[in-house]
Amino acid sequence: MLTRERAEQIFKQVLKFSTADETEAMMSSTSYSLTRFANNTIHQNVQEEGSYLSVRAVAGQRTARASTNRFDETSIRQAAEAALELARTQPPDPDLLPMPAPQTYRAVNRSYGETAELTPKARAETVKIAIARAEKDQLTAAGIFSSGASAFGLFNSRGLAAFHEETLSEFSVTMLGPTSSGWAKRTSPLALELDAEALADRAARKALGSVDPKEIQPGRHTVILEPAAVLDLLGFLFWDFGGLAVHEKRSCLTDRLGQKIFGDNVEVRDDVFHPLQSGAAFDGEGMPRQRVRLVEKGVAKNLVYSRSSARKMATEPTGHGFPLPNEYGEAPMNIVMEGNKSSVEEMVASTERGLLVTRLWYIREVDPYRKILTGMTRDGTFFIEEGKVRHGVRNLRFNQSVIEMLGQVEVLGAAERTSGEESFDMVVPPLKIRDFNFSSVTKF
């Protein structure tokens, strides 16, 4: 695994071979292991290790990158020379800024030896528990248990030096019955926090509770979205909070910044320092990440900015830029949506008639300005009547504006670190929403 000392040595070699006006080096190494299971049997154990070095050279107002996955002297020299050669062939970029000077970063600890050193045997013992839970009720279990570590360094010829180490683990399980399914998933830098046994039990209970699902009519329903469903919808919204997206008028916030477009109870910030978040304290340019309040009492309050976007919009960078060169600019990647104290069970008890949705999938954007999305429910959709979950229902397709949805939130639950399938991890609560629009019923 790459250490800070080794990263600094590699950068010294990059500088030795680079004759560019300015030079930047990004480098990383990863080591991840995965145990995959299906049909109540482990069928795959893999381990992958990799590393890369990406050198960015600047020649006047031109810049380009060249990469290698080897850290030997010859490969480093070739990458440095290739980056400069490529840069000289690029058209001038009038928005290109000098590389940033040294920065100060707030420390974040997201690296745990217990996770990095997790063995295949330990993962297999955990999977064994999940499979036993499936077999208890004649269900079939499938899923993954992965763990590993990564290190990332960013250095430039003006003296900037940033380095971050992190571990990550993930347990995901789907329980299958003849006519139903259930799902649960969690990620954490610390594998001990996953609680795979509880996740397996949750997935099993959802599969058992949705046996022989009944068909209901589509239309507008009160819906309780569990955190994974909330996350996968919000993932389509927050790319629009980038300064460049608004500047180029391709954001749904174009001409809406500073306006109240969500409900009073919607509060969102980008906060890499939240204890349930992950990631480095610096962005792809090496700028310190800042906490940014994106939505306050339903008002689209602030955007995030890279250095270039900040200059264009006469403001300050917030530490949310991507590595240069790129066409995206920036985006908030550490979303925290404020919640409340209500549990999903309390939301159900307060609902006269509605639906409980475990998660969503196959989500696609229909209208980027109104943020209308379409997709389907999956792995546990339930009918609520008189404050109780009565039975499973066939999955439904939805066509719903996320902007409209966040104006119809009646109750928020407790925010939690959440992982889905369509977006990056966030800290979000379950939501009870009125008039959520379902357009059709599926066949399963």
Side-chain angles (χ1 to χ4, degrees):
M1 184 62 60
L2 186 70
T3 64
R4 186 181 186 107
E5 181 181 12
R6 176 61 177 140
E8 290 172 348
Q9 292 172 353
I10 292 170
F11 183 57
K12 286 180 181 178
Q13 288 184 296
V14 171
L15 289 182
K16 174 184 174 182
F17 296 118
S18 177
T19 58
D21 297 341
E22 291 186 310
T23 304
E24 175 191 275
M26 289 194 314
M27 61 201 78
S28 78
S29 64
T30 58
S31 177
Y32 281 100
S33 301
L34 179 144
T35 299
R36 191 185 302 275
F37 57 101
N39 296 320
N40 291 349
T41 303
I42 291 175
H43 67 94
Q44 187 180 44
N45 264 304
V46 296
Q47 180 174 2
E48 180 181 5
E49 295 184 359
S51 58
Y52 84 88
L53 166 67
S54 178
V55 179
R56 181 166 74 93
V58 173
Q61 288 296 109
R62 298 172 167 85
T63 189
R65 284 190 180 277
S67 301
T68 178
N69 61 358
R70 301 177 66 178
F71 290 159
D72 61 277
E73 185 173 287
T74 300
S75 298
I76 293 171
R77 185 187 71 250
Q78 290 174 344
E81 292 174 349
L84 180 56
E85 183 178 352
L86 288 168
R88 287 168 173 162
T89 68
Q90 302 303 305
D93 180 359
D95 296 321
L96 184 65
L97 296 173
M99 291 184 181
Q103 305 290 319
T104 301
Y105 308 111
R106 176 178 167 180
V108 290
N109 179 23
R110 280 156 184 168
S111 183
Y112 298 91
E114 303 98 313
T115 304
E117 297 162 8
L118 203 64
T119 64
K121 181 179 180 181
R123 291 196 306 275
E125 290 296 329
T126 300
V127 170
K128 182 179 179 181
I129 294 171
I131 291 173
R133 179 64 185 89
E135 292 177 338
K136 175 184 175 183
D137 287 299
Q138 293 77 52
L139 298 171
T140 302
I144 64 166
F145 186 7
S146 66
S147 58
S150 64
F152 176 80
L154 179 64
F155 304 84
N156 73 30
S157 54
R158 297 193 66 198
L160 183 142
F163 191 78
H164 177 70
E165 296 174 289
E166 186 165 321
T167 53
L168 184 65
S169 60
E170 173 186 327
F171 189 85
S172 175
V173 59
T174 301
M175 296 285 188
L176 300 167
T179 62
S180 63
S181 62
W183 171 90
K185 179 181 180 180
R186 190 175 182 187
T187 65
S188 175
L190 181 59
L192 295 175
E193 292 182 346
L194 293 180
D195 198 352
E197 186 173 2
L199 293 173
D201 183 64
R202 180 167 178 261
R205 286 187 286 108
K206 285 186 175 291
L208 295 170
S210 56
V211 170
D212 296 326
K214 299 178 182 180
E215 182 175 317
I216 67 166
Q217 289 300 309
R220 291 192 173 270
H221 293 269
T222 294
V223 63
I224 298 170
L225 299 180
E226 294 194 357
V230 174
L231 172 145
D232 281 334
L233 292 173
L234 294 187
F236 285 81
L237 176 63
F238 288 106
W239 290 94
D240 291 51
F241 278 79
L244 185 62
V246 171
H247 180 75
E248 295 179 346
K249 300 187 184 300
R250 51 184 172 84
S251 166
C252 70
L253 298 181
T254 303
D255 300 324
R256 288 172 167 164
L257 194 62
Q259 298 180 17
K260 184 175 180 297
I261 58 176
F262 309 121
D264 289 337
N265 53 3
V266 176
E267 300 265 348
V268 184
R269 70 182 188 273
D270 185 87
D271 185 1
V272 74
F273 306 109
H274 190 283
L276 298 180
Q277 272 290 351
S278 57
F282 54 90
D283 69 4
E285 299 180 275
M287 299 300 292
R289 290 191 181 276
Q290 300 176 20
R291 288 192 181 99
V292 179
R293 185 160 293 281
L294 302 173
V295 181
E296 185 175 349
K297 295 183 179 180
V299 176
K301 197 77 173 179
N302 296 295
L303 305 175
V304 297
Y305 301 94
S306 64
R307 296 167 66 236
S308 176
S309 299
R311 187 177 70 167
K312 290 177 181 178
M313 302 181 75
T315 187
E316 296 296 320
T318 60
H320 292 81
F322 297 125
L324 298 176
N326 78 79
E327 60 187 21
Y328 301 107
E330 61 283 298
M333 303 298 289
N334 295 99
I335 297 299
V336 177
M337 183 175 183
E338 298 291 345
N340 213 317
K341 296 181 180 180
S342 298
S343 66
V344 170
E345 291 74 20
E346 289 171 333
M347 292 183 191
V348 170
S350 69
T351 303
E352 181 62 26
R353 185 182 177 90
L355 295 170
L356 173 64
V357 175
T358 300
R359 73 176 182 118
L360 307 170
W361 74 300
Y362 206 15
I363 304 173
R364 297 293 182 268
E365 192 172 70
V366 177
D367 184 324
Y369 188 71
R370 296 166 62 196
K371 268 295 175 278
I372 295 176
L373 307 178
T374 187
M376 290 179 282
T377 65
R378 183 174 183 174
D379 295 325
T381 307
F382 303 90
F383 181 69
I384 303 168
E385 189 173 40
E386 297 179 348
K388 294 184 179 180
V389 173
R390 298 297 183 180
H391 55 77
V393 300
R394 286 190 183 179
N395 288 305
L396 295 145
R397 173 171 288 280
F398 64 88
N399 278 75
Q400 174 66 51
S401 163
V402 179
I403 296 174
E404 178 189 68
M405 180 190 84
L406 291 177
Q408 299 168 175
V409 177
E410 295 184 333
V411 184
L412 299 94
E416 60 185 67
R417 180 182 171 94
T418 304
S419 182
E421 301 291 350
E422 303 272 347
S423 187
F424 52 91
D425 289 1
M426 302 179 191
V427 179
V428 296
L431 300 178
K432 180 179 175 180
I433 300 160
R434 67 179 181 273
D435 296 331
F436 192 93
N437 185 46
F438 292 100
S439 55
S440 61
V441 180
T442 70
K443 294 181 180 180
F444 57 93

